Amino acid sequence: MEDGRIPDDRLSASSCYQYKDCATRARLNQPAGDGRRGAWSPEYSDNSPWVQADLGTDHLIEGVITQGRYPDGEEWVKRFRIQYKRDGASSFEDVVGMKDKPKLFKGNTDANTEVTNLLPTAVVARYVRILPKFCYSSCSLRFELLGAALER
């Protein structure tokens, strides 16, 4: 995502606090500037926020790197879940951990440090969705997906 291979129109979210902090601001190391914030942030009233990337085709996803909002805010996601959907699938599935329950990943402890989480088992997905569950100040997030396109 960070390098722009995933175009802006394939990034989406459940909501945006303002136009200047929508899903296109969710790229890892995305700086604040030009009147835009340094991360994606959902509306305060969004009780089930998510941000997602459409990879265009199925990819093998092995992990995720997250950051908070920086330098224009001290906000970050402390815990999150990940959901994914294969190309052509009708619904999202949770990345699961022990006892096949949705895994709660450890997120950030500050606004700018990168935190890497590997999935317990790699998944095949076209769509990857991050669902913040516990946040510091606000659920602001930047992220990168770890994986590779599948050979066709």
Side-chain angles (χ1 to χ4, degrees), residues 1 7 11 39 73 80 83 85-88 93 99 103 117 122 133 137 139 147 151:
M1 284 188 31
L11 300 175
F80 62 93
Q83 292 182 331
K85 185 168 73 165
R86 291 184 77 146
D87 194 14
E93 296 181 51
K99 299 184 181 179
K103 179 162 179 59
N117 277 282
K133 293 299 171 187
S137 186
C139 292
E151 297 294 321

Side-chain angles (χ1 to χ4, degrees), residues 16 36 42 56 71 73 77 92 109 135 138 140:
C16 300
R36 294 178 179 239
V77 174
F92 280 86
T109 57
C135 302
S138 181
S140 295

Side-chain angles (χ1 to χ4, degrees), residues 14-15 40 42-43 46-51 129-133 135 139:
S14 57
S15 67
W40 161 73
E43 290 180 352
D46 189 343
N47 294 324
S48 300
W50 54 263
V51 61
R129 184 177 281 184
I130 297 181
L131 301 92
K133 293 299 171 187
C135 302
C139 292

Side-chain angles (χ1 to χ4, degrees), residues 2 24-32 37-39 67 70-71 142:
E2 182 179 6
T24 59
R25 308 305 296 165
R27 297 178 190 279
L28 197 71
N29 293 309
Q30 178 71 61
R37 296 190 179 177
Q67 290 177 304
Y70 183 83
R142 296 176 288 167

Side-chain angles (χ1 to χ4, degrees), residues 1-6 11 23 26-28 53 55 143-145:
M1 284 188 31
E2 182 179 6
D3 65 9
R5 278 185 277 173
I6 299 171
L11 300 175
R27 297 178 190 279
L28 197 71
L55 305 175
F143 74 102
E144 179 67 83
L145 299 172

Side-chain angles (χ1 to χ4, degrees), residues 51-53 55 61 82-84 125-130 145:
V51 61
Q52 79 178 22
L55 305 175
I61 303 300
I82 298 174
Q83 292 182 331
Y84 64 97
R126 173 178 172 173
Y127 302 91
V128 179
R129 184 177 281 184
I130 297 181
L145 299 172

